[in-house]
Amino acid sequence: MCGIVGYIGEQQALPILLEGLKRLEYRGYDSAGVAVLSGAVPKVVKTRGRLQHLEEKLAGEDCPGTVGIGHTRWATHGHPSDANAHPHTDCTGRFVVIHNGIIENFLSLKEQLIASGHTFRSETDTEVIPHLLETYYQGDLVEAVRKVAGQLQGAYALAVICQDEPDKIVAVRKASPLIIGLGEGENFLASDIPALLKYTRRVLVVEDGELAVLTRQGVTLQTLDGRPVARQVLEVTWDAGQAEKGGYAHFMLKEIHEQPRAIADTLRGRIHPDGRQVVLPELGLTPEEARRLSKIAIVACGTAAYAGLVGKYLIENLAGIPVEWDIASEYRYRDPFVDDRTLFVAVSQSGETIDTLAALREARSRGARVLTITNVVGSTLARESDWALYTWAGPEIAVASTKAYTTQIVVLALLAVWLGQVTGRLQPEAAAEILAALRALPEQVETVLHQEPAVAEAATRLARHDDVFFIGRHLDYAVALEGQLKLKEISYIHAEAYPAGELKHGTLALITDGVPVVAVNTQEALKEKTISNIQEVRARGAHVIGLALAGDEETARHCHEVFYVPRTVRWLAPVLAVVPLQLLAYYAAVARGHDVDKPRNLAKSVTVE
């Protein structure tokens, strides 16, 4: 969740650190700080709140220096405060540390350090690290960092600078992402690639259990036991403009409008020119292995989980393979039945979601083959999987996911068609129809986006309410789950989604005059049943906002207002149906005056349990 930036070179470090931290704001944070080696003395400035507060504080400070580290923190241990903000130092101020993740054994380490005379100034788990460095340092910073890492339990990425060795930055990664940017006479460190794009496109991904040493002359990688590591340089091809708002008021709105392109990019090269076959060269699963599968487990968190629920329906119906769907944070605790005939599918925008990673490791330990669907090349989930299918959505900056969700469904649809073809359940004509519908999605999403002004009007009215309910059946219920999540995470309106058939089992008690109910009704086979549920809530005074297929006048007659999506094969309706719900959430949040891209208490990349 937190952001790390580091620089060593000939330029002044402070402007580079601040620029990099701004590029990482999407990760979520509640405090920020920097440390610059001014001569040989580390100068630390930090504060609670946004980067603007840090810049205001720095305006009264003198921080020259060409080596430095910076951090944005999202609180885990200790409330947001100046004292708890990173960087942290030891008793002498010689060692300065920034850290992402959680040190699980920090209490026992802290007790030992206090007993030996160390004084702590924060409530954080991180502060044990500089005090341990003070304890172990004997003239070799790399060796001291290696010894400290051996004492730490948990997930972390950390960066260290030292007054005694001002010509280097030392970094270590265990589970939490860390990237190195390569320059000429200068090098960079960050939690994510966008922080570095202004300065370099040549990056190294630090793997788990590796230590990096950055100097002006170069970068070396080694394992924690000292063995050198050779790593291929990754050339980043992102357009730097992709990480900017591009004229939109918020990143979220920009990313909603980027969905046609993101879907087209995700499909590119994955449908055979004959339009009848899926081409997934990245998937090393052979047809024989696919036919041998006894089940598939789809596991994810948040928005990715709701994309995974759509994937469950697709795979079961198109391929005839049983699919278990789980929330990643719960997966390990139910003692899942997994064997070598299980395909475990992890879905994650960032590829760093710690709960999903833990679930993946649990499944792998039980013999499952592992496939990850993610947006980030070189992410931890991708590297720890047998195969990775990338969504090619481009950088997603807003905390609330949009284009990642729709492209995840597209990849899951491609996987379902491929599995259906190799198992023989999906006939060639049916496969061709779905693939043609996939190709039509970018243009159809553009059509849905034309309704933006009308959706914005409805959202302004919706924003006056404190409770909203979403209903739908089958695939429409999966869409309703994502719609309610979007609304509550950025507008802070209480929202809940229910299978429409469950209304009579309790939810109707909450329906009173004027309560908004969003009814998703895109599944033709279930249309009449959902209309009956719409009538149930209308009879109790609900204001119904309908979402239906183009030309469905019957649904429209039972709603106070309705938005339409183009007709497509039933399996792909969720890709289209979610777009008005994304816009509804966005404009409701804007109407309420909230920070759409950085909703409170949330973060983009959740790398702690």
Side-chain angles (χ1 to χ4, degrees):
M1 291 184 183
C2 311
I4 280 177
V5 176
Y7 174 78
I8 183 168
E10 300 300 330
Q11 301 185 62
Q12 287 297 304
L14 184 58
I16 295 172
L17 298 178
L18 291 173
E19 176 67 23
L21 291 176
K22 289 175 183 176
R23 301 285 184 176
L24 296 177
E25 284 191 289
Y26 66 91
R27 297 174 69 87
Y29 69 104
D30 50 46
S31 60
V34 294
V36 177
L37 278 170
S38 181
V41 179
K43 176 74 171 181
V44 176
V45 180
K46 55 185 183 174
T47 184
R48 176 184 177 181
R50 296 289 187 188
L51 283 168
Q52 178 184 349
H53 301 145
L54 178 63
E55 289 177 311
E56 291 169 355
K57 195 169 184 177
L58 284 164
E61 300 283 349
D62 186 24
C63 296
T66 57
V67 180
I69 52 178
H71 189 267
T72 49
R73 174 182 185 256
W74 189 82
T76 56
H77 294 73
H79 64 284
S81 69
D82 289 4
N84 288 333
H86 294 212
H88 289 287
T89 62
D90 67 309
C91 296
T92 68
R94 293 156 58 212
F95 301 93
V96 186
V97 175
I98 54 177
H99 159 237
N100 291 351
I102 288 179
I103 306 303
E104 295 175 353
N105 62 331
F106 88 99
L107 277 176
S108 60
L109 292 171
K110 186 173 182 177
E111 289 169 358
Q112 295 169 23
L113 288 162
I114 290 173
S116 63
H118 290 264
T119 301
F120 282 74
R121 294 183 288 271
S122 80
E123 305 166 286
T124 68
D125 54 337
T126 302
E127 197 183 350
V128 300
I129 300 172
H131 289 288
L132 287 169
L133 286 168
E134 181 185 358
T135 300
Y136 285 114
Y137 186 72
Q138 294 183 335
D140 186 338
L141 181 61
V142 172
E143 183 61 26
V145 170
R146 183 180 292 117
K147 288 180 178 177
V148 170
Q151 295 291 306
L152 305 179
Q153 297 173 13
Y156 53 84
L158 57 91
V160 180
I161 56 175
C162 175
Q163 175 180 320
D164 297 52
E165 301 183 39
D167 58 345
K168 63 172 65 76
I169 301 173
V170 181
V172 176
R173 179 213 171 133
K174 181 182 177 184
S176 195
L178 204 56
I179 305 293
I180 292 169
L182 304 176
E184 296 294 330
E186 59 184 3
N187 291 293
F188 309 82
L189 186 70
S191 302
D192 205 353
I193 290 172
L196 308 179
L197 281 182
K198 183 175 179 179
Y199 307 103
T200 182
R201 293 181 176 275
R202 301 175 63 242
V203 304
L204 295 172
V205 178
V206 183
E207 301 275 8
D208 274 359
E210 290 181 353
L211 181 150
V213 181
L214 288 72
T215 67
R216 293 175 178 83
Q217 292 72 39
V219 174
T220 59
L221 289 174
Q222 57 187 269
T223 61
L224 285 173
D225 59 6
R227 290 178 289 114
V229 172
R231 179 70 33 76
Q232 184 174 355
V233 175
L234 175 66
E235 293 285 344
V236 178
T237 58
W238 292 352
D239 179 356
Q242 287 181 283
E244 302 295 337
K245 291 180 184 176
Y248 290 95
H250 297 93
F251 282 113
M252 182 179 176
L253 186 60
K254 174 177 179 282
E255 288 156 9
I256 290 171
H257 280 267
E258 286 177 339
Q259 288 176 115
R261 178 200 56 76
I263 292 168
D265 287 348
T266 299
L267 289 170
R268 189 168 289 116
R270 287 171 163 168
I271 299 176
H272 193 276
D274 66 11
R276 302 177 69 84
Q277 299 175 64
V278 174
V279 180
L280 296 174
E282 316 98 307
L283 183 61
L285 191 71
T286 67
E288 293 74 20
E289 290 172 327
R291 288 190 284 269
R292 185 175 172 271
L293 292 174
S294 61
K295 69 175 179 181
I296 293 172
I298 297 179
V299 180
C301 297
T303 285
Y306 299 144
L309 182 56
V310 175
K312 167 186 166 66
Y313 291 136
L314 266 64
I315 292 170
E316 286 186 336
N317 283 271
L318 300 182
I321 302 172
V323 179
E324 293 181 353
W325 174 80
D326 278 273
I327 299 295
S329 58
E330 291 290 316
Y331 183 74
R332 289 170 291 162
Y333 308 119
R334 70 172 180 84
D335 193 22
F337 180 79
V338 176
D339 60 19
D340 61 1
R341 296 180 63 195
T342 302
L343 175 65
F344 181 95
V345 180
V347 188
S348 167
Q349 185 280 141
S350 67
E352 303 292 347
T353 311
I354 195 68
D355 287 314
T356 307
L357 182 60
L360 178 153
R361 289 168 175 166
E362 177 73 20
R364 181 179 282 286
S365 72
R366 297 172 182 241
R369 307 296 294 278
V370 177
L371 166 68
T372 281
I373 296 172
T374 185
N375 192 38
V376 181
V377 176
S379 58
T380 303
L381 280 165
R383 294 197 309 277
E384 294 200 14
S385 299
D386 296 294
W387 313 287
L389 295 176
Y390 294 107
T391 53
W392 306 125
E396 191 177 64
I397 306 302
V399 168
S401 182
T402 52
K403 60 181 178 174
Y405 171 83
T406 48
T407 53
Q408 285 164 357
I409 293 177
V410 166
V411 171
L412 286 161
L414 289 168
L415 178 63
V417 172
W418 184 85
L419 288 168
Q421 289 179 310
V422 300
T423 60
R425 181 181 175 92
L426 188 62
Q427 295 304 306
E429 294 75 15
E433 181 185 16
I434 297 170
L435 295 178
L438 278 165
R439 282 175 159 168
L441 282 177
E443 185 176 347
Q444 289 182 315
V445 172
E446 288 282 9
T447 300
V448 177
L449 288 169
H450 293 160
Q451 299 178 74
E452 184 174 349
V455 177
E457 276 189 42
T460 301
R461 294 188 292 272
L462 190 76
R464 303 182 190 124
H465 296 270
D466 295 321
D467 300 281
V468 179
F469 295 94
F470 290 70
I471 60 172
R473 289 174 178 264
H474 197 248
L475 286 164
D476 286 338
Y477 170 56
V479 174
L481 284 166
E482 173 60 10
Q484 60 90 33
L485 177 62
K486 280 293 152 290
L487 184 66
K488 63 189 176 189
E489 68 182 344
I490 62 170
S491 75
Y492 317 146
I493 296 171
H494 167 248
E496 293 188 56
Y498 290 91
E502 286 293 295
L503 284 169
K504 55 188 170 291
H505 296 293
T507 315
L508 279 174
L510 299 173
I511 305 300
T512 56
D513 282 346
V515 169
V517 174
V518 179
V520 187
N521 196 15
T522 70
Q523 299 296 302
E524 285 282 10
L526 299 169
K527 184 171 75 172
E528 297 303 326
K529 289 185 178 294
T530 301
I531 287 175
S532 295
N533 301 132
I534 292 171
Q535 292 171 326
E536 286 179 314
V537 295
R538 281 207 63 165
R540 288 154 179 84
H543 177 87
V544 180
I545 302 171
L547 189 57
L549 296 174
D552 181 3
E553 295 181 4
E554 187 177 2
T555 296
R557 281 197 300 271
H558 298 282
C559 300
H560 294 90
E561 50 193 322
V562 66
F563 300 104
Y564 294 103
V565 298
R567 290 183 176 269
T568 184
V569 295
R570 61 176 300 206
W571 309 112
L572 300 181
V575 176
L576 302 172
V578 79
V579 177
L581 302 185
Q582 294 169 345
L583 290 168
L584 194 71
Y586 171 80
Y587 282 105
V590 170
R592 286 190 156 211
H594 297 316
D595 188 343
V596 175
D597 288 333
K598 296 184 283 290
R600 67 190 183 202
N601 300 330
L602 299 179
K604 186 68 177 177
S605 180
V606 184
T607 55
V608 296
E609 292 187 71

